[in-house]
Amino acid sequence: MQKQHLNHYNFADHYYNRIKLKKCHLTKCLQDKPTISELARNIPSRSFSCKDFLPIKQENKDSLSENMDAFEKVRTKLETQPQEEYEIINAEVKHGGFVYYQEGCCLVRSKDEEADNDNYEVLFNLEELKLDQPFIDCIRVAPDEKYVAAKIRTEDSEASTCIVVKLSDQPVMEASFPNVSSFEWVKDEEEEDVLFYTFQRNLRCHDVYRATFGDNKRNERFYTEKDPSYFVFLYLTKDSRFLTINIMNKTTSEVWLIDGLSPWDPPVLIQKRIHGVLYYVEHRDDELYILTNVGEPTEFKLMRTAADTPAIMNWDLFFTMKRNTKVVDLDMFKDHCVLFLKHSNLLYVNVIGLADDSVRSLKLPPWACGFIMDTNSDPKNCPFQLCSPIRPPKYYTYKFAEGKLFEETGHEDPITKTSRVLRLEAKSKDGKSVPMTIFHKTDSEDLQKKPLLVHVYGAYGMDLKMNFRPERRVLVDDGWILAYCHVRGGGELGLQWHADGRLTKKLNGLADLEACIKTLHGQGFSQPSLTALTAFSAGGVLVGALCNSNPELLRAVTLEAPFLDVLNTMMDTTLPLTLEELEEWGNPSSDEKHKNYIKRYCPYQNIKPQHYPSIHITAYENDERVPLKGIVNYTDKLKEAIMEHAKDTGEGYQAPNVVLDIQPGGNHVIEDSHKKITAQIKFLYEELGLDSTSVFENLKKYLKF
């Protein structure tokens, strides 16, 4: 419904990102992307391994050398053979008769029917900004197409620049604003385009500005949020009637309305913030539709009220969700409201008829694990995409007149017949059922001897990412079992699922993860010596905790930008996100109970001399979300514990391999880094003693080098 902070309850955003796969082609604007070898030369890293200082048997060295030789041979083939390349189109918006998108290094537009052809008009060359490999993250077009605004980022930084281009016979950049987070256009009474945008400083977004261009150029601060634990973002209702200023922290929200017809008038408060009450707003026919957790049970429900009486005492209950339901998104149409839901780990669409309050619930294909929302201004159709970690997005359209869901026709993906998706549950220590999603090849025999890669997150009420990742598909094709564990602390089963895994209930997530892995092994999916665990960011808390408490369940671990030193990080209020995240982790500086509880699970605090699984950590030098210092301190302490355990164990001990790969840049996670992907897969194959030849051969079908 509305785009939220990276580490918050993840409603799908309405940044109109249309994701699709297509074969790549060179454009007139830009050269192709660099090869793997060029990436390796141009992106330095600082890596070290515990195997650099611990004794290893000679046969293991020889085996490692053979594996390295095999990897280098395959990588050479990948760099010299022609690739069947694919790309993901991230930012695209339709407005009027045009489609606006990025082609090469340019912001372009083309006639709607020609969007996939080479006939387009270049509006702005991103190279003028002198950024390293810039890409467009978001596009907004002014109502009458006099201006277009685009937010531009680079892969190695979270900082964004918003450019405003005047559309004319000779398009020209009218303005440029640094550090912009969200932005929207409205038109005032005098037909003047007004751009509202939020300014982000040190990952905190507290200020809202408004700007006009042309002869009446101005730029002024419109609103400032004074509470440092809240952040601000903008959302334009589907009918463009209201611009909403959304002020939020992890558990509480407050929304102000700006009249889209009178943007210079003071904003109207819907409901003053009430601790623990979240709400989000859409509009239709002078009524506000409010998705909120107010009342019992404290899960999301849909309410509505007249736009001129927006306060909470006027909200009328309109639709309630089943228990254990996650509201993924909401889309509003002229005569219908569409809710995108996840219930008991399966996806549903509920279509509510606004004329007669009828409800049609559609259960979606069992392979589907995630929604991708599509731009749509057609009141007759609701298009969206479904995806899974191993299956590219597929288009679906619900047609209101027919009352039916239509799926994209064409060639069926072969993965449909060659793989299986299973929905299983594990019983945690307290009896709670924890859902899991499992993928493996249909013809796999003796699954107990197959390698297993377990994924986990479990924080901020966010779902475990299950979008399409080509490398995950390649692993399944190569015989791996993939398991996604939806532990408490995440949001897969609704708001209570998150509440049961935060603050002084964080250990529930650890117990859930342990139960999932033991259940998988108990049901014949792999074994500890062939099991690897992977996570990014806050997911590193549970992974690091499990490595301390039950290292015998695992053989290898890969972590990306992991949060490993919870206690010291949360006691440092000078860091950008500490105040904002107190409601997730607690306040160890002022609350002794929180401090002692964090000490019980904090990965850094609980390292001890014992046999650990091998660990590969990718970190980013200027990451503001997870400070590098905490990762380095964790790695140093882990090395010391491993060395101490090795001395006590004696000669011949096979020490785990611990690799810290520090990449330059200030981004938090770079999903599509081919250097990172190949390094992690190489590490997993080496540590589990697997032949990596075929997996790297298959990667070339999907990754664009």
Side-chain angles (χ1 to χ4, degrees):
M1 183 175 179
Q2 304 173 29
K3 179 159 177 83
Q4 300 193 28
H5 191 271
L6 180 65
N7 285 337
H8 197 69
Y9 196 83
N10 66 327
F11 279 86
D13 63 69
H14 264 272
Y15 271 10
Y16 303 148
N17 291 349
R18 181 181 175 188
I19 301 177
K20 60 184 180 180
L21 274 78
K22 66 176 184 179
K23 289 188 178 180
C24 291
H25 55 274
L26 289 175
T27 71
K28 301 173 184 176
C29 296
L30 189 67
Q31 299 175 355
D32 212 357
K33 284 195 172 184
T35 64
I36 285 185
S37 59
E38 289 170 339
L39 286 171
R41 288 195 298 269
N42 295 331
I43 306 180
S45 65
R46 299 199 296 272
S47 302
F48 57 83
S49 164
C50 282
K51 288 185 177 178
D52 293 336
F53 53 82
L54 288 169
I56 301 176
K57 292 180 180 179
Q58 184 62 42
E59 61 264 30
N60 291 321
K61 286 186 177 181
D62 294 341
S63 174
L64 178 62
S65 176
E66 291 173 3
N67 286 339
M68 286 286 291
D69 290 343
F71 171 75
E72 293 301 330
K73 289 177 182 177
V74 172
R75 189 170 71 170
T76 301
K77 285 185 179 180
L78 291 181
E79 292 171 1
T80 56
Q81 292 180 352
Q83 311 299 323
E84 184 181 359
E85 298 169 347
Y86 291 81
E87 66 178 347
I88 294 178
I89 308 299
N90 283 321
E92 180 178 292
V93 59
K94 297 178 182 178
H95 191 101
F98 291 94
V99 180
Y100 296 78
Y101 56 100
Q102 180 174 348
E103 184 73 24
C105 201
C106 297
L107 170 63
V108 303
R109 71 173 177 179
S110 64
K111 288 292 185 180
D112 196 342
E113 65 273 10
E114 299 173 353
D116 288 330
N117 297 331
D118 289 333
N119 298 318
Y120 50 77
E121 175 188 9
V122 175
L123 304 177
F124 181 75
N125 189 337
L126 274 58
E127 292 179 329
E128 293 182 24
L129 298 176
K130 301 189 184 305
L131 300 173
D132 182 28
Q133 293 187 333
F135 66 90
I136 297 175
D137 189 44
C138 175
I139 299 171
R140 291 287 186 271
V141 184
D144 289 340
E145 291 190 281
K146 294 179 182 178
Y147 299 96
V148 59
K151 189 172 74 169
I152 299 166
R153 289 179 49 203
T154 64
E155 288 188 348
D156 64 354
S157 174
E158 290 195 46
S160 299
T161 298
C162 178
I163 61 163
V164 177
V165 176
K166 184 177 181 179
L167 300 175
S168 59
D169 292 338
Q170 295 293 327
V172 60
M173 186 173 75
E174 185 84 3
S176 174
F177 303 116
N179 302 314
V180 169
S181 179
S182 57
F183 57 105
E184 298 285 357
W185 290 100
V186 296
K187 185 177 290 293
D188 67 12
E189 303 93 324
E190 299 179 0
E191 299 297 305
E192 185 173 38
D193 293 310
V194 185
L195 180 70
F196 285 80
Y197 66 92
T198 54
F199 178 78
Q200 182 169 292
R201 182 188 296 111
N202 294 327
L203 300 180
R204 295 175 179 173
C205 204
H206 293 154
D207 297 317
V208 181
Y209 285 78
R210 58 186 172 191
T212 56
F213 309 95
D215 296 334
N216 187 25
K217 184 176 293 186
R218 69 171 105 173
N219 185 28
E220 61 187 23
R221 188 164 57 181
F222 174 71
Y223 174 88
T224 296
E225 172 56 38
K226 296 180 180 179
D227 189 331
S229 69
Y230 284 76
F231 62 94
V232 182
F233 67 94
L234 304 175
Y235 170 70
L236 189 66
T237 59
K238 180 76 177 288
D239 60 3
S240 301
R241 181 64 176 82
F242 290 103
L243 176 66
T244 63
I245 302 176
N246 303 268
I247 304 154
M248 304 187 63
N249 66 14
K250 295 291 184 292
T251 61
T252 306
S253 62
E254 178 178 288
V255 182
W256 294 73
L257 293 179
I258 297 174
D259 192 331
L261 303 177
S262 305
W264 301 104
D265 290 350
V268 175
L269 174 64
I270 292 183
Q271 173 57 48
K272 186 177 180 180
R273 62 193 76 170
I274 302 171
H275 181 72
V277 174
L278 292 164
Y279 69 98
Y280 312 89
V281 178
E282 257 293 359
H283 176 265
R284 168 193 173 268
D285 285 353
D286 295 326
E287 286 187 316
L288 301 178
Y289 288 78
I290 302 168
L291 199 60
T292 178
N293 68 331
V294 70
E296 293 295 334
T298 55
E299 295 290 348
F300 278 111
K301 54 209 55 104
L302 190 59
M303 297 190 174
R304 63 181 172 187
T305 184
D308 56 0
T309 56
I312 194 169
M313 71 279 296
N314 300 312
W315 296 0
D316 293 324
L317 183 62
F318 178 59
F319 184 78
T320 57
M321 318 296 166
K322 296 179 181 178
R323 287 187 179 272
N324 297 331
T325 296
K326 164 71 177 282
V327 182
V328 178
D329 206 348
L330 176 152
D331 205 352
M332 189 66 66
F333 296 83
K334 182 178 183 296
D335 297 316
H336 298 85
C337 174
V338 180
L339 289 166
F340 299 86
L341 307 172
K342 182 181 291 185
H343 176 67
S344 297
N345 211 26
L346 293 172
L347 300 187
Y348 291 79
V349 168
N350 278 8
V351 181
I352 305 174
L354 300 177
D356 57 5
D357 292 350
S358 62
V359 179
R360 177 110 188 257
S361 183
L362 305 172
K363 185 177 180 180
L364 299 174
W367 62 263
C369 300
F371 293 102
I372 300 172
M373 305 309 155
D374 207 340
T375 299
N376 180 50
S377 57
D378 182 357
K380 299 179 180 179
N381 302 313
C382 176
F384 57 91
Q385 298 174 71
L386 298 176
C387 65
S388 87
I390 64 171
R391 181 168 175 165
K394 184 172 185 177
Y395 278 94
Y396 288 79
T397 301
Y398 184 84
K399 297 188 177 182
F400 298 116
E402 291 90 336
K404 294 181 180 179
L405 184 66
F406 296 86
E407 66 177 283
E408 176 187 28
T409 58
H411 177 67
E412 184 63 30
D413 195 307
I415 198 75
T416 305
K417 296 182 179 179
T418 61
S419 69
R420 292 184 66 193
V421 55
L422 304 174
R423 313 284 179 163
L424 304 179
E425 288 186 344
K427 286 290 185 183
S428 197
K429 291 179 180 178
D430 59 358
K432 187 69 71 174
S433 295
V434 184
M436 298 182 289
T437 308
I438 318 296
F439 301 90
H440 67 82
K441 286 183 72 173
T442 306
D443 59 358
S444 289
E445 297 179 358
D446 198 357
L447 290 172
Q448 195 169 20
K449 295 181 180 180
K450 298 297 183 182
L452 167 66
L453 183 60
V454 179
H455 299 72
V456 71
Y457 188 69
Y460 303 113
M462 293 178 65
D463 292 7
L464 181 58
K465 281 190 176 182
M466 298 190 70
N467 54 317
F468 174 63
R469 302 296 309 161
E471 66 273 18
R472 303 303 184 214
R473 175 172 180 148
V474 169
L475 289 178
V476 169
D477 285 340
D478 205 41
W480 282 71
I481 305 164
L482 303 186
Y484 290 77
C485 303
H486 310 292
V487 304
R488 281 174 283 184
E492 287 88 344
L493 298 185
L495 293 177
Q496 191 60 47
W497 198 247
H498 172 217
D500 288 343
R502 69 181 183 94
L503 295 176
T504 55
K505 295 183 178 180
K506 274 291 174 186
L507 284 169
N508 283 341
L510 176 60
D512 291 352
L513 176 59
E514 178 183 332
C516 286
I517 296 176
K518 288 182 176 179
T519 298
L520 289 167
H521 291 162
Q523 294 191 15
F525 293 99
S526 195
Q527 53 188 291
S529 62
L530 290 172
T531 298
L533 180 55
T534 185
F536 78 97
S537 191
V541 174
L542 297 183
V543 173
L546 186 69
C547 288
N548 288 328
S549 64
N550 284 281
E552 69 280 358
L553 293 176
L554 307 168
R555 178 65 185 89
V557 167
T558 64
L559 296 171
E560 185 171 5
F563 192 23
L564 297 167
D565 190 0
V566 182
L567 183 61
N568 290 322
T569 301
M570 292 307 299
M571 293 186 72
D572 187 352
T573 56
T574 65
L575 295 173
L577 297 180
T578 297
L579 294 176
E580 188 180 304
E581 306 213 328
L582 294 178
E583 295 194 49
E584 179 70 24
W585 308 101
N587 191 345
S589 297
S590 61
D591 190 319
E592 197 67 20
K593 179 182 177 182
H594 286 169
K595 183 176 182 179
N596 291 332
Y597 191 84
I598 291 173
K599 282 183 177 179
R600 292 172 61 187
Y601 67 81
C602 175
Y604 176 75
Q605 297 292 327
N606 291 282
I607 293 173
K608 57 190 174 186
Q610 63 177 347
H611 180 74
Y612 279 88
S614 293
I615 300 177
H616 184 286
I617 300 174
T618 305
Y620 300 95
E621 200 161 25
N622 299 313
D623 189 341
E624 294 182 272
R625 296 185 183 274
V626 178
L628 181 60
K629 178 182 177 182
I631 298 175
V632 172
N633 289 343
Y634 170 87
T635 309
D636 288 343
K637 188 175 181 179
L638 184 63
K639 286 165 52 181
E640 293 173 2
I642 291 173
M643 290 174 64
E644 186 175 343
H645 180 67
K647 291 177 183 177
D648 294 340
T649 305
E651 188 175 352
Y653 171 64
Q654 179 60 52
N657 189 15
V658 179
V659 177
L660 174 58
D661 186 2
I662 303 175
Q663 297 291 325
N667 211 335
H668 182 51
V669 174
I670 305 176
E671 278 197 344
D672 298 319
S673 167
H674 301 132
K675 184 176 185 293
K676 177 203 74 179
I677 291 170
T678 53
Q680 290 176 348
I681 291 179
K682 170 173 166 276
F683 174 84
L684 291 176
Y685 272 77
E686 289 175 356
E687 294 305 320
L688 272 61
L690 306 173
D691 181 3
S692 62
T693 304
S694 61
V695 71
F696 286 107
E697 287 281 6
N698 290 330
L699 268 177
K700 68 182 181 182
K701 298 177 183 177
Y702 302 100
L703 299 185
K704 185 176 69 170
F705 297 110

